[in-house]
Amino acid sequence: MLIYILKRIIMIIPVLIGLSLLLFVISRLLPGDPVGLAAGPRATLEQIEALRVEFGLDKSLPVQYFNYIAGLLSGDWGASLITRRPVLDDLRIYLPATLELVVFSMTLSVIIGVPLGILSAVRPGGRLDVVVRIASLASLSMPRFFLGLMLQLFFAMLLAWFPLGGRFPFIVFPPPNVTGFMTIDSLVAGDIQAFGLSLKHLALPSIAMALSPMATILQLTRASTIETLNQDYVKTARAMGLSQRLILFKYVLKNSLSATLTMTALFVGWALSGTVLVETIFDWPGIGLYATHSVISQDFMPILGVSIVIGLIFIIINLIADLLYGMLNPKVQYK
Amino acid sequence: MAFLKISDLNLFMDGFEGSNHVLRGINLSIEQSEIWGIVGETGSGKSMTALSVCQLVPCPPGRFTNGSILLEGQDLMATSEAEMHKMRGSRIGMIFQDPTTYLNPAFRIGTQLIDVALSAARNNPSIFGEEQVRGYRNRRRMAKKISIEMLDKVGIPDAAKRCHDYPHQFSGGQKQRILIAMALIGQPKLLIADEPTTALDVSVQAQVLSLIWSIKQERDLTVLLISHNLGVVAQLCSHVAVMLEGEIVEQGSIEEIFDNPAHEYTRRLLDALPSGNRRERLETAAAERLASDA
């Protein structure tokens, strides 16, 4: 098992090299001159050239790539052309906000999607099944940006139950930064009011992000549960007098979770890259909003940084999912 | 009063292409401690009869039109699902055809046995012994103890250690023994064995039949053995019912049916049976096994 994990970690290196190379080439092939844009409309050609030299953009592409990789390994992820701030420092600020949103929304998707999927599989075509399937189809077919706007309109503007956007009210002191997760930091500080406020701010963007994966997880769990319920070992469990609850939530659940696990791991990657829309709508200060601003100003170092971080997290989540398979299916052997 | 009495049982299976009359007026009367065999070809309704006794026929698509199944005088057809649920495992034990697919692959066999024991103990606390066991931890400890004892009884070597193994780490014969242990851990009075040896090779078949025989003798079980193999039934059963296309065409003691088969289908089945009486050998082997266990 340990050897397998080590092998998989070593495998991350070539994947990251390939990913960084691809992203680097694409970012350099994009039309437009980010240095000219950063220097401003009144800059002279000399000033633009000086800026190009300052950022090492006067060198050949292979040399630039080599310098970038060396920087990545030594903790220098480059700097923003616009703000001149190091990308790694920005990521340290914005990444926890995005991760908090993704973790919260994915947890919501799984803890609602999986039990509902199982319960609707018990009586396919029953009342619960019909309601759940219509609701999930509606969630799947609604674009996230539209859903976000509707949530803002009803729950923030009309009902005023939740704030319109942001991560924490400007007029309240936030809890001291420990993990970067506002909810956890509030609990660490023992500030229940701050915890409530951070949950209120998390609610709408999390729902906007969670509904679509929740619907997919629900449908997938439903389908695999229906399949599992027809397996012979479920017949055994019934013949032995085990309770329906034990059969469903222990013996069937574990067998039908493999497909859901794969989909959830894929959804984490989808959610990370999908934060761009939701963070823009809810003014959530995460890497999605950071990436949006960087794209508008053709600031390619932050875009590269964000993409590599998302890629890295995606790879790690899939590694964790692969390791969890072993827990679900004892026949899986890690070699 | 018969221990198990099935009267005029009719079952239909509804589908897109119409209704299929699966059981046509089944009548069967089984006394306590008897071993009955039901034989017939695939699709004759043997397994459906067995599942009907357990009330495990999925309805729909299944539909019982009339008939009754009396177990010790209690009409199972009129019994609620909640009550049936309590009876399964603790009054009726059932084992199935293919041991490779009837054990949950994702759980250790110890976990599966303990859950069955805990569930059965809720309806029949005496399986934990004379003393009352209080508290979840104590009940679980006791369930583990009787699971290991049961595995030991059905012939799984090093049972305490093997409790931690998954089904794929056992052979086919061992899996069937584990299923037998699981079916009997709740100390039911009726054991329904639905083709328990079909998926096993011949030598393992004999071992499993011998095991069922010896446990039946020890616990005074009533056994309903479903098989398409008249030879297997001849080895184990005192009585036999022959089924064809959802009907029992002939029933009686093994001797009656073997010596004077009345129905043409029974005669054809008997013609296909290899000669020689192995039943005596089986009884001797079971008696020897009981003696060695004692």
Side-chain angles (χ1 to χ4, degrees):
Chain A
M1 175 96 159
L2 203 68
I3 294 169
Y4 173 79
I5 297 173
L6 280 174
K7 269 187 193 172
R8 286 291 302 263
I9 290 173
I10 293 168
M11 283 285 286
I12 292 176
I13 298 169
V15 175
L16 272 184
I17 291 174
L19 180 72
S20 61
L21 183 66
L22 192 73
L23 290 168
F24 189 84
V25 171
I26 290 173
S27 69
R28 293 300 194 275
L29 289 180
L30 287 174
D33 180 14
V35 182
L37 207 66
R42 295 189 180 182
T44 60
L45 277 175
E46 287 76 21
Q47 283 171 323
I48 291 172
E49 205 48 45
L51 200 61
R52 211 182 294 280
V53 172
E54 187 189 333
F55 281 95
L57 300 173
D58 56 328
K59 296 184 175 70
S60 67
L61 271 184
V63 173
Q64 281 185 43
Y65 177 68
F66 180 78
N67 288 342
Y68 181 66
I69 291 292
L72 274 184
L73 295 175
S74 62
D76 174 16
W77 286 38
S80 160
L81 284 170
I82 310 294
T83 63
R84 307 281 177 99
R85 280 173 54 81
V87 171
L88 204 56
D89 288 356
D90 283 345
L91 287 176
R92 278 200 196 104
I93 296 168
Y94 297 123
L95 187 63
T98 299
L99 285 182
E100 188 174 30
L101 184 60
V102 169
V103 168
F104 203 77
S105 60
M106 290 315 293
T107 309
L108 212 60
S109 307
V110 172
I111 61 170
I112 296 175
V114 170
L116 273 182
I118 291 175
L119 290 175
S120 62
V122 175
R123 274 189 199 85
R127 208 177 297 168
L128 176 75
D129 187 36
V130 170
V131 171
V132 160
R133 282 171 71 190
I134 290 173
S136 67
L137 198 66
S139 324
L140 272 175
S141 42
M142 195 181 295
R144 258 176 301 170
F145 68 89
F146 181 71
L147 179 67
L149 290 172
M150 288 300 110
L151 287 172
Q152 279 181 326
L153 187 68
F154 282 106
F155 295 106
M157 298 191 71
L158 285 176
L159 298 171
W161 288 354
F162 298 103
L164 198 58
R167 202 179 173 204
F168 207 76
F170 288 115
I171 50 168
V172 182
F173 279 110
N177 189 356
V178 181
T179 60
F181 279 44
M182 205 66 94
T183 43
I184 296 174
D185 289 351
S186 313
L187 289 177
V188 170
D191 190 345
I192 300 298
Q193 196 197 354
F195 179 68
L197 282 171
S198 43
L199 274 186
K200 270 191 163 185
H201 281 77
L202 256 175
L204 292 187
S206 296
I207 293 169
M209 268 182 64
L211 273 187
S212 176
M214 186 196 295
T216 311
I217 287 170
L218 189 153
Q219 297 277 16
L220 211 65
T221 309
R222 179 186 174 275
S224 52
T225 303
I226 289 174
E227 197 185 319
T228 310
L229 280 171
N230 287 319
Q231 296 294 319
D232 291 338
Y233 49 80
V234 177
K235 206 188 276 178
T236 305
R238 290 212 170 104
M240 304 297 170
L242 296 186
S243 69
Q244 175 80 343
R245 196 175 54 186
L246 191 69
I247 292 173
L248 274 180
F249 289 99
K250 184 173 179 179
Y251 287 100
V252 170
L253 178 65
K254 195 175 175 188
N255 283 281
S256 51
L257 266 187
S258 296
T260 310
L261 182 69
T262 314
M263 194 42 87
T264 308
L266 290 175
F267 265 127
V268 173
W270 174 89
L272 274 168
S273 54
T275 51
V276 173
L277 272 176
V278 174
E279 287 185 2
T280 306
I281 292 167
F282 288 95
D283 198 25
W284 188 265
I287 54 170
L289 197 62
Y290 178 55
T292 310
H293 291 319
S294 309
V295 167
I296 291 167
S297 52
Q298 292 188 357
D299 195 359
F300 50 73
M301 279 308 188
I303 301 171
L304 271 176
V306 167
S307 308
I308 284 173
V309 162
I310 290 175
L312 190 62
I313 293 172
F314 190 67
I315 292 166
I316 291 170
I317 293 288
N318 276 281
L319 172 62
I320 294 170
D322 282 350
L323 295 177
L324 286 175
Y325 279 133
M327 286 172 67
L328 294 178
N329 183 358
K331 284 185 192 170
V332 171
Q333 287 190 332
Y334 297 105
K335 284 180 181 170
Chain B
M1 183 177 65
F3 179 75
L4 175 70
K5 189 174 173 62
I6 304 175
S7 310
D8 195 24
L9 188 69
N10 279 276
L11 170 66
F12 288 83
M13 281 300 205
D14 296 331
F16 286 117
E17 292 169 3
S19 217
N20 189 11
H21 200 167
V22 178
L23 297 179
R24 299 163 186 260
I26 300 291
N27 288 296
L28 203 61
S29 185
I30 301 177
E31 298 299 328
Q32 184 151 11
S33 311
E34 284 181 346
I35 307 186
W36 270 77
I38 300 182
V39 286
E41 60 195 20
T42 305
S44 60
K46 310 181 297 288
S47 295
M48 278 299 162
T49 308
L51 288 174
S52 301
V53 175
C54 274
Q55 293 288 291
L56 282 174
V57 176
C59 296
R63 180 166 49 87
F64 289 98
T65 51
N66 56 314
S68 67
I69 302 170
L70 301 178
L71 180 69
E72 293 178 296
Q74 181 180 354
D75 189 356
L76 302 184
M77 300 290 287
T79 304
S80 68
E81 176 50 32
E83 191 58 34
M84 269 317 296
H85 167 72
K86 286 182 189 167
M87 289 173 72
R88 291 183 203 118
S90 53
R91 281 179 69 189
I92 309 169
M94 186 158 183
I95 49 176
F96 296 95
Q97 181 176 350
D98 186 356
T100 54
T101 58
Y102 280 90
L103 280 169
N104 197 317
F107 289 88
R108 297 174 204 278
I109 58 136
T111 309
Q112 301 186 47
L113 274 161
I114 288 169
D115 277 341
V116 172
L118 284 172
S119 169
R122 229 168 277 143
N123 310 311
N124 182 12
S126 66
I127 67 165
F128 283 161
E130 302 275 301
E131 283 179 40
Q132 206 173 8
V133 183
R134 290 181 188 279
Y136 179 72
R137 276 192 171 185
N138 290 334
R139 282 207 307 277
R140 205 171 165 81
R141 199 174 301 137
M142 193 51 109
K144 186 171 182 183
K145 184 172 164 265
I146 64 165
S147 299
I148 293 169
E149 283 171 5
M150 200 65 217
L151 281 179
D152 206 35
K153 194 184 282 290
V154 297
I156 302 290
D158 206 2
K161 204 174 159 195
R162 299 226 65 191
C163 252
H164 302 286
D165 286 344
Y166 289 96
H168 70 271
Q169 292 166 299
F170 291 88
S171 68
Q174 283 178 321
K175 281 183 208 169
Q176 192 58 288
R177 285 166 189 271
I178 293 164
L179 277 166
I180 293 172
M182 219 183 251
L184 295 176
I185 205 164
Q187 299 183 356
K189 289 179 181 171
L190 172 66
L191 175 69
I192 300 172
D194 186 2
E195 307 211 30
T197 55
T198 305
L200 305 174
D201 62 56
V202 181
S203 59
V204 184
Q205 269 186 23
Q207 289 169 15
V208 169
L209 291 176
S210 170
L211 175 67
I212 293 173
W213 174 261
S214 63
I215 291 177
K216 183 260 166 211
Q217 297 290 82
E218 189 189 314
R219 292 197 173 183
D220 196 25
L221 280 174
T222 306
V223 180
L224 183 61
L225 176 78
I226 314 292
S227 180
H228 62 260
N229 187 337
L230 204 55
V232 166
V233 170
Q235 285 181 55
L236 201 67
C237 302
S238 56
H239 296 74
V240 64
V242 183
M243 284 191 78
L244 179 67
E245 293 174 359
E247 273 182 281
I248 292 182
V249 291
E250 193 170 1
Q251 58 176 297
S253 71
I254 284 281
E255 290 76 19
E256 280 168 23
I257 302 289
F258 270 59
D259 295 343
N260 297 305
H263 198 274
E264 172 59 28
Y265 178 66
T266 316
R267 275 197 290 276
R268 286 214 314 269
L269 277 179
L270 285 171
D271 286 345
L273 195 66
S275 60
N277 186 358
R278 286 183 289 166
R279 189 165 181 223
E280 279 175 19
R281 276 190 314 193
L282 185 76
E283 283 180 6
T284 314
E288 280 171 4
R289 187 191 152 84
L290 274 179
S292 68
D293 285 352

